[in-house]
């Protein structure tokens, strides 16, 4: 008999990266297709689902706090279940499996990163027999993209082109919880992109832990540049991609930033460290010089490209000199945005076995010095937008002011603009409109809509 989840209500909490955000759209789509109703608040939900992240310790801790607090939240009036069903999936589900139930006994369902398609059956089983149901697989047999989807924004879509990762950076848990890299056949990617274009989607973000190594496991070894070309040919207005590993970024892809009008002029290129010694200990397989060479080529292809990066502070054995090399690199590149992380030890990774004796206060102080530089640079980088007219994809209105439009520039900057008199925000949602920039702050731009 086919499963029905009517009249259950559910809400999904998503932690972690875009892979999880994408998975949560599939979870919502699947459950809705079986008759369950999505709600915003846990108080209204018969089923609460977590898509979890374990990339740093803080993400782990957050889940435990959240799930524990559910114990004291009463069920809604008229709920068809006698106990709220709690399901944990994503990267912690994959890593811990059965152990999660030992740690959090009121959790009912655990699933992993390779089997989100099993979730409806696991929820139905827990509802019917009140027992624990754990299913974690070692490998994926298919892409979750084949499942129905309930996209967060109708005009923007995430499109996974690879899953997993083969790089084994020594600090990182991702290859252990997402498995080996698998590429999706090119025709399937293009077909999905075309469906989005036909449905009025304006922006597609191609996803993978390292999109640049796309295709190595496929017949004929199609390259990432071909994916970009084929997706561009669908007529989509905006293309972005994340994430790129510097060791695999090709000259061909770099060149496209100068020649492909719908490829947005923004690239996230995680450097992690500016010290060759640390890069080697991280198993990143590039040098500072190689990275800076890529930046030079990117700027030659498109002088106006916006660059962002990730940096880890306090990797085991990082010296003051290593840190200063990182600081200098960040200063030299002039990033629009830098995501800064303090190294977090992850059990089972090679770095967890390395001598790690830098005092906490020293790492904290380095982190703060880096953040100061990052903010200064983000502010400076935004100044060049003043006086320009920028195409902005309108995503909504400000939470604090319903008369303020909020959207994204081609460089992925957040842009605010007052809603012009006589226009309703709904008319502009999902449209790309010209905005003249009059204000440039550290984390956003302000301007007025050109009529
Ligand atoms: N595949 C992507 C992103 C992976 S996780 C990439 O390689 O760029 C996102 C970021 O988290 C990483 O770029 C890294 O900066 C950070 N990160 C990963 N593991 C970490 C750890 N153990 N401690 C601190 N930061 C970490
Ligand atoms: Fe982690 Fe490195 Fe893979 Fe990124 S490339 S997911 S940092 S192992
Ligand atoms: Fe976190 Fe898993 Fe993504 S560990 S960063 S949600 S791949």
């Amino acid at each position: 008999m086919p499963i029905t989840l009517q009249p259950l209500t559910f809400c999904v909490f998503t932690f972690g990266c875009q892979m999880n955000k994408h998975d949560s759209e599939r979870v919502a789509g699947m459950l809705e297709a079986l008759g369950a109703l999505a709600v915003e608040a846990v108080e209204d939900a018969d089923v609460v689902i977590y898509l979890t992240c374990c990339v740093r310790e803080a993400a782990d801790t957050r889940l435990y706090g959240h799930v524990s607090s559910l114990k004291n939240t009463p069920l809604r009036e008229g709920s068809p279940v006698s106990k709220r069903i709690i399901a944990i999936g994503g990267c912690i589900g994959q890593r811990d499996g059965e152990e999660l139930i030992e740690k959090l006994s009121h959790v009912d369902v655990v699933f992993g990163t390779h089997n989100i398609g099993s979730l409806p059956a696991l929820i139905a089983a827990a509802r019917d027999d009140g027992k624990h149901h754990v299913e974690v697989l070692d490998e994926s047999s298919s892409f979750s993209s084949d499942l129905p989807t309930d996209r967060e924004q109708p005009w923007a879509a995430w499109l996974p082109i690879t899953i997993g990762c083969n790089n084994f950076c020594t600090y990182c848990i991702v290859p252990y919880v997402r498995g080996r890299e698998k590429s999706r056949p090119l025709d399937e990617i293009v077909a999905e992109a075309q469906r989005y274009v036909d449905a009025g989607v304006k922006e597609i973000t191609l996803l993978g832990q390292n999109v640049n190594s796309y295709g190595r496991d496929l017949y004929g070894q199609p390259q990432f540049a071909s994916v970009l070309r084929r997706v561009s040919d669908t007529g989509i207005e905006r293309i972005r991609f994340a994430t790129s590993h510097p060791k695999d970024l090709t000259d061909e892809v770099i060149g496209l930033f100068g020649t492909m009008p719908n490829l947005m002029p923004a690239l996230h290129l995680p450097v992690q460290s500016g010290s060759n010694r640390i890069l080697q200990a991280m198993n990143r397989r590039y040098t500072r010089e190689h990275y800076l060479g890529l930046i030079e080529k990117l700027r030659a292809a498109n002088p106006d490209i916006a660059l962002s990066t990730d940096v880890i502070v306090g990797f085991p054995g990082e010296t003051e000199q290593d840190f200063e090399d990182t600081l200098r690199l960040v200063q030299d590149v002039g990033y629009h945005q830098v995501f800064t992380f303090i190294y977090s030890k992850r059990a089972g990774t090679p770095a967890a076995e390395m001598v790690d004796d830098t005092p906490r206060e020293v790492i904290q102080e380095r982190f703060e010095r880096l953040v100061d530089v990052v903010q200064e640079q983000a502010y400076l980088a935004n100044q060049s937008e003043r006086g320009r007219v920028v195409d902005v994809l309108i995503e909504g209105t400000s939470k604090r002011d319903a008369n303020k439009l909020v959207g994204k520039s081609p460089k992925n900057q957040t842009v605010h603009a007052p809603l012009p008199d006589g226009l309703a925000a709904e008319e502009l949602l999902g449209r790309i409109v010209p905005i003249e920039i009059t204000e440039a702050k550290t984390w956003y731009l302000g301007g007025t809509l050109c009529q």
Side-chain angles (χ1 to χ4, degrees):
M1 254 227 328
I3 302 169
T4 169
L5 295 179
Q6 219 170 359
L8 289 177
T9 58
F10 72 95
C11 69
V12 186
F13 289 99
T14 314
F15 305 131
C17 66
Q18 271 126 343
M19 286 294 171
N20 262 1
K21 292 189 184 133
H22 173 264
D23 282 353
S24 73
E25 292 182 343
R26 306 289 156 166
V27 163
M30 262 187 318
L31 299 186
E32 282 169 352
L34 297 172
L37 181 73
V39 292
E40 297 267 316
V42 282
E43 289 80 8
D44 300 327
D46 307 322
V47 185
V48 178
I49 299 142
Y50 290 93
L51 286 163
T52 59
C53 172
C54 55
V55 78
R56 284 170 293 274
E57 197 180 343
D60 257 270
T61 320
R62 197 165 155 210
L63 173 79
Y64 285 94
H66 222 283
V67 174
S68 301
S69 73
L70 274 186
K71 262 191 185 158
N72 306 322
T73 313
L75 278 169
R76 69 180 169 117
E77 215 170 294
S79 171
V81 289
S82 54
K83 177 204 163 293
R84 177 175 286 114
I85 299 172
I86 302 173
I88 300 188
C91 294
I92 298 183
Q94 184 70 32
R95 186 193 60 186
D96 295 350
E98 196 79 40
E99 260 177 53
L100 265 175
I101 306 250
E102 285 158 31
K103 289 190 215 154
L104 293 163
S105 57
H106 60 304
V107 168
D108 304 279
V109 169
V110 178
F111 60 108
T113 55
H114 300 305
N115 62 333
I116 67 168
S118 308
L119 181 61
L122 294 168
I123 291 175
R127 172 195 60 191
D128 297 343
D129 67 10
K131 294 192 179 136
H132 296 144
H133 292 268
V134 178
E135 186 185 296
V136 173
L137 308 179
D138 287 341
E139 227 184 305
S140 299
S141 54
S142 67
F143 271 83
S144 57
S145 299
D146 305 334
L147 303 167
T149 175
D150 173 14
R151 272 182 292 109
E152 201 176 295
Q153 294 186 341
W155 51 85
W158 287 308
L159 203 168
I161 65 165
T162 65
I163 50 172
C165 181
N166 289 347
N167 289 317
F168 290 96
C169 302
T170 53
Y171 50 81
C172 185
I173 192 87
V174 170
Y176 306 90
V177 289
R178 291 274 167 179
R180 292 299 74 71
E181 184 177 277
K182 273 211 186 84
S183 307
R184 214 170 153 198
L186 186 49
D187 288 339
E188 218 176 286
I189 296 169
V190 176
E192 186 168 340
Q194 191 64 60
R195 280 200 300 278
Y196 288 142
V197 173
D198 297 344
V201 167
K202 300 284 170 58
E203 179 173 301
I204 290 178
T205 304
L206 303 173
L207 285 185
Q209 295 300 345
N210 176 17
V211 290
N212 295 306
S213 55
Y214 173 85
R216 290 184 188 162
D217 55 332
L218 294 178
Y219 178 73
Q221 305 207 321
Q223 297 215 336
F224 180 54
S226 319
V227 181
L228 284 173
R229 286 207 188 82
R230 295 273 310 271
V231 171
S232 170
D233 287 346
T234 60
I236 185 75
E237 290 196 50
R238 292 181 161 194
I239 307 177
R240 302 183 189 279
F241 57 87
T243 305
S244 283
H245 194 304
K247 78 176 164 60
D248 297 313
L249 179 64
T250 60
D251 289 350
E252 201 179 355
V253 170
I254 292 175
L256 293 178
F257 281 102
T259 54
M260 188 181 271
N262 47 0
L263 179 59
M264 291 296 99
L267 178 67
H268 185 63
L269 196 62
V271 68
Q272 314 299 357
S273 169
S275 151
N276 282 336
R277 209 177 64 81
I278 296 293
L279 285 172
Q280 193 173 16
M282 287 175 162
N283 189 32
R284 291 289 290 178
R285 287 176 280 171
Y286 55 84
T287 58
R288 168 195 181 91
E289 292 71 28
H290 176 77
Y291 185 91
L292 289 170
L294 293 175
I295 300 293
E296 218 168 277
K297 287 187 203 169
L298 283 158
R299 293 222 159 105
N302 182 347
D304 201 29
I305 193 167
L307 299 164
S308 58
T309 199
D310 292 346
V311 171
I312 297 178
V313 179
F315 184 81
E318 182 191 75
T319 62
E320 174 62 23
Q321 182 59 50
D322 294 321
F323 173 71
E324 280 174 20
D325 287 348
T326 301
L327 209 54
R328 203 156 39 84
L329 181 138
V330 169
Q331 264 158 342
D332 288 352
V333 173
Y335 291 102
H336 271 72
Q337 199 166 8
V338 180
F339 298 90
T340 49
F341 306 108
I342 287 181
Y343 169 72
S344 170
K345 186 172 171 170
R346 303 285 71 200
T349 61
E353 308 299 320
M354 295 179 190
V355 179
D356 184 10
D357 54 5
T358 315
R360 202 75 210 158
E361 317 80 74
V362 173
I363 295 176
Q364 187 63 36
E365 185 256 349
R366 285 180 193 161
F367 183 75
E368 284 162 20
R369 277 156 72 199
L370 175 64
V371 169
D372 284 346
V373 170
V374 166
Q375 291 192 347
E376 207 177 278
Q377 286 204 336
Y379 179 79
L380 281 177
N382 278 345
Q383 296 314 306
S384 59
E385 305 299 325
R386 277 169 181 277
R388 289 189 182 170
V389 174
V390 168
D391 286 333
V392 178
L393 173 59
I394 303 295
E395 296 179 334
T397 53
S398 157
K399 282 198 188 93
R400 271 173 288 169
D401 180 357
N403 286 318
K404 192 185 267 174
L405 295 167
V406 181
K408 283 278 156 61
S409 73
K411 294 183 194 166
N412 222 8
Q413 295 140 308
T414 299
V415 183
H416 294 172
L419 179 66
D421 286 340
L423 270 182
E426 292 70 39
E427 293 173 51
L428 295 170
L429 277 189
R431 279 180 49 197
I432 296 174
V433 295
I435 289 182
E436 184 176 351
I437 303 302
T438 51
E439 192 187 18
K441 302 281 194 197
T442 307
W443 301 128
Y444 70 91
L445 305 172
T448 46
L449 192 69
C450 305
Q451 299 279 357

